[in-house]
Amino acid sequence: MHKENVIKQNLYPDHAVVHVDFERAVITAITHVLGQHVHIQGCFYQLTQSTYRKVQELGLQTQYKEDQNLIEFCGKMNSLTFLPIGDIKDGMAYLKNIVPEEAEPLLNYFDETYVNGKYRQVKNENNKIVLKYCLPIFPPNLWNVNEWT
């Protein structure tokens, strides 16, 4: 239902929380339309689907179906969402110590996209290449469900 139709019907929803998929454009639109006060919560299911799509992209799908160690590691990685936000970086550090070699690119993707972000090479004003820190695209406050479970 469009916002104009809601207003015509004298309905004024006051959304406190909106559950969404992990799409930057949707998140930005919600913030612009409903306001900055809305808490946007990423969907846990979509987070796990993102992980599995990356497993497929990395060519680990067959191994994922057969290797119990890889299955459990992916479960641990997805389970970061249940930790208190203050413990997520420690959880990621733990995962970096136990990651199976074949899952390192997967963990790096998850870390860069959802936890710590990454550094990118950019040219500064003197045309020198420097490292610039970039926040994760979807930071923990967007996908953490510790308070909700």
Side-chain angles (χ1 to χ4, degrees), residues 26-137:
V26 171
I27 292 168
T28 301
I30 289 169
T31 302
H32 281 84
V33 172
L34 299 178
Q36 295 288 332
H37 70 283
V38 174
H39 175 77
I40 298 173
Q41 180 66 51
C43 174
F44 175 70
Y45 173 77
Q46 294 298 329
L47 181 72
T48 62
Q49 289 301 295
S50 172
T51 300
Y52 189 67
R53 281 191 303 274
K54 193 65 174 182
V55 164
Q56 292 171 315
E57 181 183 314
L58 293 169
L60 298 172
Q61 184 176 7
T62 301
Q63 187 173 353
Y64 178 84
K65 291 180 180 181
E66 298 170 357
D67 183 347
Q68 191 61 35
N69 188 39
L70 182 59
I71 294 168
E72 288 177 11
F73 179 79
C74 290
K76 289 174 184 176
M77 191 174 61
N78 286 328
S79 294
L80 288 175
T81 191
F82 297 106
L83 293 176
I85 285 185
D87 294 339
I88 291 173
K89 290 190 182 210
D90 289 339
M92 179 56 73
Y94 169 75
L95 291 175
K96 287 180 179 182
N97 286 322
I98 65 162
V99 62
E101 185 177 336
E102 66 276 6
E104 286 179 10
L106 175 65
L107 185 62
N108 290 337
Y109 157 78
F110 194 93
D111 188 28
E112 292 173 357
T113 306
Y114 297 103
V115 181
N116 288 304
K118 64 181 174 180
Y119 286 91
R120 292 182 184 210
Q121 292 183 350
V122 296
K123 289 185 179 181
N124 66 11
E125 61 276 355
N126 298 324
N127 214 25
K128 289 188 175 184
I129 295 177
V130 296
L131 292 178
K132 177 185 176 189
Y133 173 69
C134 299
L135 293 169
I137 297 169

